[in-house]
């Protein structure tokens, strides 16, 4: 059966990314420009993604202290687009130190229109990303989670128009770096799971389905109504 714990676990996981950024922006950000000491080359290059490297031509960066401890915990990198009076700065990288240990835990990458492309997050602060979010045309399309922190993806959450529609889970840990092998599939209507299929023998096919009773009744009623309408026509 579809349990309340399963539904709550998915909802909590899907909100991790927003919570990480929200905590860093909860207070008014106070810009902190490194004017007393020159940042190291490593600091200027950021967390490692090329779009976080502020040493490249046309790049600028700003740092912000959102916790009030006088230590920057948010870093933004911009690229200048256009020339002369028509030029403008576009945000292409945002890094946040969520737990204030000096290490960036959440990195979001943007395209040259300022729309998010990807976000990587370290939820257990072991300096390894365990959540990855992919965007298309600025909208979230899929999140990948390493929920047991073993270095491998075990859950994928798919979105449509900003809402979760399907989750795939590798409960048995059969996936490899080259091949994703889900053994549980969960389908959603809004925030509610309406059915769940489980592959018990590892052959990649659903062996057992669980369905939400109310959703199944609604689906059956809709099909019956459609059949009556087709007959009337």
């Amino acid at each position: 059966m579809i349990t309340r714990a399963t539904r709550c676990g998915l909802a909590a996981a899907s909100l991790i990314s927003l919570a990480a950024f929200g905590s860093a922006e909860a207070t008014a950000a106070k810009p902190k420009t490194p004017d007393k000491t020159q940042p190291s080359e490593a600091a200027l290059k950021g967390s490692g993604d090329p779009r976080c490297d502020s040493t490249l031509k046309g790049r600028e960066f700003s740092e912000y202290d959102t916790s009030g401890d006088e230590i920057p915990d948010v870093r933004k990198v911009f690229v200048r687009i256009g020339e002369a009076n028509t030029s403008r700065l576009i945000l292409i990288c945002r890094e946040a130190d969520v737990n204030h240990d000096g290490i960036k835990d959440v990195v979001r990458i943007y395209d040259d229109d300022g729309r998010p492309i990807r976000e990587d997050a370290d939820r257990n602060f072991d300096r390894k990303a365990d959540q990855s979010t992919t965007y298309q045309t600025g909208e979230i399309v899929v999140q990948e989670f390493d929920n047991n922190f073993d270095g491998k993806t075990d859950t994928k959450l798919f979105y449509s128009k900003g809402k979760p529609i399907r989750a795939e889970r590798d409960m048995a840990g059969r996936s490899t770096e080259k091949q994703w092998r889900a053994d549980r599939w969960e389908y959603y209507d809004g925030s509610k799971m309406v059915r769940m299929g489980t592959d018990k023998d590892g052959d990649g096919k659903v062996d057992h389905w669980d369905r939400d009773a109310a959703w199944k009744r609604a689906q059956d009623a809709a099909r019956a109504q459609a059949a009556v309408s087709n007959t009337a026509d």
Side-chain angles (χ1 to χ4, degrees):
M1 297 295 293
I2 301 171
T3 66
R4 178 181 178 86
T6 302
R7 292 196 296 267
C8 292
L10 177 68
S14 65
L15 292 176
I16 288 291
S17 174
L18 295 178
F21 266 97
S23 64
E25 302 241 7
T27 58
K30 181 171 65 176
K32 185 176 180 62
T33 303
D35 53 359
K36 293 183 179 180
T37 59
Q38 181 67 24
S40 67
E41 183 177 357
L44 290 172
K45 289 186 175 181
S47 57
D49 191 283
R51 294 185 74 79
C52 298
D53 186 351
S54 60
T55 66
L56 300 180
K57 184 178 180 180
R59 302 276 180 90
E60 299 182 20
F61 81 99
S62 295
E63 292 183 323
Y64 303 83
D65 169 26
T66 65
S67 64
D69 63 359
E70 300 299 324
I71 300 175
D73 45 47
V74 174
R75 178 177 181 272
K76 296 181 179 181
V77 177
F78 304 84
V79 63
R80 185 167 293 280
I81 303 294
E83 298 180 359
N85 295 334
T86 62
S87 69
R88 65 189 189 281
L89 288 174
I90 302 295
L91 177 66
I92 59 172
C93 169
R94 183 188 187 282
E95 304 168 302
D97 175 10
V98 177
N99 64 337
H100 310 292
D101 65 351
I103 304 297
K104 299 299 188 293
D105 312 299
V106 184
V107 180
R108 181 177 289 185
I109 305 301
Y110 302 79
D111 63 20
D112 285 350
D113 291 319
R115 297 178 301 190
I117 301 173
R118 188 186 76 256
E119 177 185 292
D120 294 320
D122 172 13
R123 295 172 295 161
N124 66 339
F125 309 120
D126 66 351
R127 303 188 181 186
K128 299 177 183 179
D130 46 60
Q131 175 181 308
S132 177
T133 305
T134 302
Y135 301 82
Q136 289 181 359
T137 62
E139 289 191 355
I140 182 173
V141 291
V142 62
Q143 285 184 306
E144 299 184 15
F145 301 90
D146 173 12
N147 288 319
N148 61 359
F149 308 113
D150 67 350
K152 298 192 301 182
T153 297
D154 50 50
T155 299
K156 294 185 179 184
L157 181 60
F158 298 86
Y159 290 78
S160 177
K161 298 180 180 179
K163 297 181 179 180
I165 57 172
R166 184 178 86 257
E168 297 181 2
R169 302 181 189 274
D170 176 10
M171 307 294 290
R174 298 186 180 95
S175 295
T176 65
E177 186 175 345
K178 295 182 178 180
Q179 183 181 20
W180 169 246
R181 297 185 61 184
D183 50 29
R184 178 170 293 174
W185 296 263
E186 301 166 1
Y187 294 84
Y188 295 82
D189 183 2
S191 60
K192 183 178 182 181
M193 185 194 301
V194 293
R195 61 176 178 147
M196 177 176 70
T198 304
D199 170 19
K200 297 181 178 180
D201 56 13
D203 65 355
K205 300 177 182 179
V206 173
D207 300 308
H208 176 76
W209 283 103
D210 286 305
R211 289 179 172 83
D212 178 82
W215 178 84
K216 187 175 185 302
R217 287 195 298 270
Q219 292 295 100
D220 291 343
R223 281 193 289 268
Q225 182 60 43
V228 169
S229 299
N230 291 336
T231 302
D233 293 340

